[in-house]
Amino acid sequence: LSPAAGVWGGLVQAGGSLRLSCAASGFTFDNNAIGWFRQAPGKEREALLCFSGRDGSTDYAADSVKGRFTVSSDDAKNTVYLQMNSLKPEDTAVYSCGRVLTIYCPVNYYHNIDYWGKGTLVTVSS
């Protein structure tokens, strides 16, 4: 898994948007759901949402990102994108994606991650 920010360094002003990507190698999103997470400085990792490529469904774990963060996928590139809009300074964190063991998103998907992508820092300035 290779998560990367669309903009180098992931620096954006409050109210702005940023798209992160998570590219898969050796598997497809049709067979494994993908979870997105973030860890803010001094805080524990937070589960954001889970995306199932099989049916295109997204299950949100964090109310704070509902309505602002969405997921899409490009099967040809085997890549999942996290579109983040209306960013706030409190969204500043290291974002990472993880492969879920199952096709669909279980309720406790954050306990069913077997591979993690390298995190990428997103900084939202006020």
Side-chain angles (χ1 to χ4, degrees), residues 4 22 31 35 42-43 92 118:
C22 183
N31 294 319
K43 295 187 178 181
T92 295
K118 183 179 179 181

Side-chain angles (χ1 to χ4, degrees), residues 5-89:
V7 176
W8 184 85
L11 176 62
V12 64
Q13 287 188 329
S17 298
L18 194 65
R19 189 179 76 164
L20 304 182
S21 60
C22 183
S25 177
F27 71 98
T28 67
F29 298 115
D30 191 55
N31 294 319
N32 291 91
I34 289 294
W36 281 95
F37 304 80
R38 69 184 179 188
Q39 187 166 18
K43 295 187 178 181
E44 295 186 352
R45 179 183 288 161
E46 177 186 19
L48 300 179
L49 53 83
C50 179
F51 170 78
S52 171
R54 179 64 65 91
D55 63 1
S57 62
T58 301
D59 295 328
Y60 287 88
D63 290 338
S64 61
V65 304
K66 285 183 181 179
R68 300 190 298 125
F69 291 11
T70 58
V71 179
S72 63
S73 64
D74 185 331
D75 292 342
K77 296 181 179 180
N78 210 21
T79 299
V80 170
Y81 301 98
L82 178 67
Q83 179 67 44
M84 305 185 295
N85 299 326
S86 301
L87 283 164
K88 306 173 183 179

Side-chain angles (χ1 to χ4, degrees), residues 1 4 9 25-26 28 35-36 39-40 42 51 71 98 102-103 105 112 122-123 125:
L1 288 173
S25 177
T28 67
W36 281 95
Q39 187 166 18
F51 170 78
V71 179
T102 55
I103 295 173
C105 298
N112 290 276
V122 172
T123 302
S125 62

